[in-house]
Amino acid sequence: MNQTLENVQRQLDLLRQQIELYNYQYYVLDAPTIPDAEYDRLFRKLQHIEQEYPALVTLESPTQRVGAAPLKAFLQVIHDAPMLSLANAFEAIEVEAFDRRVREVLKVSAVEYAVEPKFDGLAVSLRYENGVFKTGATRGDGYTGEDITLNLRTVKSIPLSLSSERVPKLLEVRGEVLMLKDDFVRLNKWHFEKGEKIFANPRNAAAGSLRQLDSAVTATRPLKFFAYGIVPNDDSCVPQDTHSAIIQYLSSLHFPVAQESTVVNGCAGLLAYYRKIGAQRDQLPYDIDGVVYKVNSLAQQAELGYVARAPRFALAHKFPAQEAVTRLLDIHVQVGRTGALTPVARLEPVFVGGVTVTNATLHNADEISRKDVRIGDTVIVRRAGDVIPEVVSVVLAQRPENAQPFIMPQHCPACGAKAVRAVGEAVSRCTGGLFCPAQRKQAILHFASRRALDIEGLGEKLVDQLVDNVIVRNPADLYQLGILALANLERMAEKSASNILAAIEKSKQTTLARFIYALGIRNVGEVTAKDLALHFGSLDHLMCADVEKLIQVADVGPVVAQSILDFFAEKHNREVIERLRASGVSWEENEMTTSISMKSHAINGKTFVLTGTLPNMTREEAKEIIEKFGGKVTGSVSKKTDYVVVGEDPGSKYDKAISLGVTLLDEEKLKTLLQTV
Ligand code: IVH
């Protein structure tokens, strides 16, 4: 090699190393250290030099991660060491049996286990020769897989060459290729916009992407790799004592490994880990279908050996399946508390996520057409954790000829009011407001729900009857209920009627946060309600807050603020609140906030006179608020009067105020004054 070529080679090596390091920081550590523009500049520089010196291009160059010419078929690869499967357990008792067997074989009283998530992706094997990625294969039947090297080369988190000094001649890394949940959602959205294939779940998306004959397509898919082991290797570079040391070693070679991997002791440690990861499952960035337990000591692993096609030293402890297949019998439209019309699938009962599911949400009309769901279809249903079950996708191959497309109704199925879909919104809403019995029922159910006023026993069936028989129209009516009205309802024994009355009575003592949440203000959930309660200290402060005041509250933006203003601007809502308070619904207001602001309030000690009709409040309401803040309301104007509040058609008090030069306020100005501390 002449001098220049040698220089070029050195420059190429350096650039490739740099870019791979940035790839590692970006794709594995999720912590980029340089701006994208700088990365792009280096990458273009590398491309440029390679174009000029095509002879120096190698397969390990980061420029080769974009994919190669499409294949006609995948070649077969015989695995050097078979890719085994794991024995499964679902119950704690099976885990206990596993640990007992392990202890018996090893003749020890306690065992240390390496524990890790069980990734729900596709098993692959990566072969490195002298630190260079040579071949990558699928698991296949465990003995023979498919050569997907070109596709795996496009997965940015798979190192193309290992930079460490401590690299054996031959290293076979085993792990899983998957798609992160966020990436999956983004990919599907993008595909939907382009009218391309929608994937049912991240696993299918990963599988579809990895088994592409055209690696250039794979290169556009956001795939990740996670290493969970190696083929046993006696090279001195490779740790020989424990599985956890191997995982650390792989991480040091820049392979991604699960952050959740750790080491525990005994069966109790295994079960505690299962519970811990189970609780985190929905928050993890990837789908997992269980956890894997592995005896940590490699010597003990060898001693335990294998049975059939699975190691005796490892066990997969699976979570209940979150997806199942069933038939969609019909689609109903449900009316929510805020009038949102939600299409709901009625299903042939199916056991999923640990419970039997008969209904699943279809979200909205767009989602139904995106997934092309029809009545009569065989569908995949998903129930993850506490999340409402949903229809994920259709098994098109099983679509019957008479499958019926669904049409979103133009009118509310509960009250017949027009259903409208605002521009830019995905949902249609009933315009019937609180005249719509369905919205009324939902509002009452929400008011009585556990996290709101917590009225035990006031369930769907009872609310249906109360609303349908016009006994209860809004939450305030609940506090007027008597034993007779209740006991006359169908299937209502006197005992349960008195239990409900007792529960209603008990609910009167509540907290401000619960009360605000119970009102069911659009966009005000439990957390916002708590923030509002804490910030304003009293309901009156909240009720007369303007946008500026509201957006000072953490997490309250203009949209939420507007929802709050709209809610309190509604006369009907203020009346319900007033009636609730009159019936004895009460809470401890934040004395501190109230008394401090009382003393320093602009209204404190001032004398008011009201005349004329105010646009948004009755005179009684105005009087009450003024008095709440320490003001006094009198009937006639004198020199001592500080303010005269003037509405439409004012009387002679208006003239008197002008002649005496008393400050005049309209409703707007009064509100501003009420907010002045
Ligand atoms: S160890 C000799 N660890 O589960 C055992 N497998 O039934 C080799 N899997 O398809 C497997 N996460 O790809 C192991 N942390 C993990 C795993 C894991 C997922 C998959 C594996 C294989 C299946 C084994």
Side-chain angles (χ1 to χ4, degrees), residues 83-88 116-124 139 175-176 228 289 292 294 306 309-311 313-314 316:
M83 293 179 76
L84 301 173
S85 53
L86 292 167
N88 283 335
E116 48 205 47
K118 186 170 190 305
F119 304 103
D120 198 5
L122 296 108
V124 297
R139 176 165 182 263
E176 200 96 345
Y228 55 62
D289 54 353
V292 182
K294 297 169 183 172
Y306 298 80
R309 297 185 52 192
F313 57 79

Side-chain angles (χ1 to χ4, degrees), residues 319-333:
F319 296 132
Q322 290 182 321
E323 286 185 1
V325 174
T326 188
R327 235 168 62 82
L328 190 155
L329 306 174
D330 202 359
I331 297 176
H332 285 194
V333 174

Side-chain angles (χ1 to χ4, degrees), residues 204-219:
N204 287 4
S209 305
L210 204 55
R211 303 209 55 257
Q212 284 283 339
L213 287 168
D214 186 354
S215 52
V217 173
T218 311

Side-chain angles (χ1 to χ4, degrees), residues 455-456 483 486 493-505:
I455 305 179
E456 217 183 304
I483 192 93
L486 275 179
E494 200 170 314
K495 174 84 178 93
S496 44
S498 60
N499 281 347
I500 286 171
L501 287 183
I504 291 174
E505 188 59 33

Side-chain angles (χ1 to χ4, degrees), residues 414-415 435-442 444 460-474 489-490:
C415 71
F435 295 101
C436 171
Q439 287 190 52
R440 231 182 286 156
K441 286 174 188 173
Q442 292 300 325
I444 294 165
E460 215 166 301
K461 294 229 170 67
L462 181 54
V463 171
D464 277 352
Q465 289 194 66
L466 290 171
V467 172
D468 292 342
N469 293 316
V470 208
I471 301 171
V472 168
R473 261 175 291 200
N474 58 49
L489 295 173
E490 261 173 64

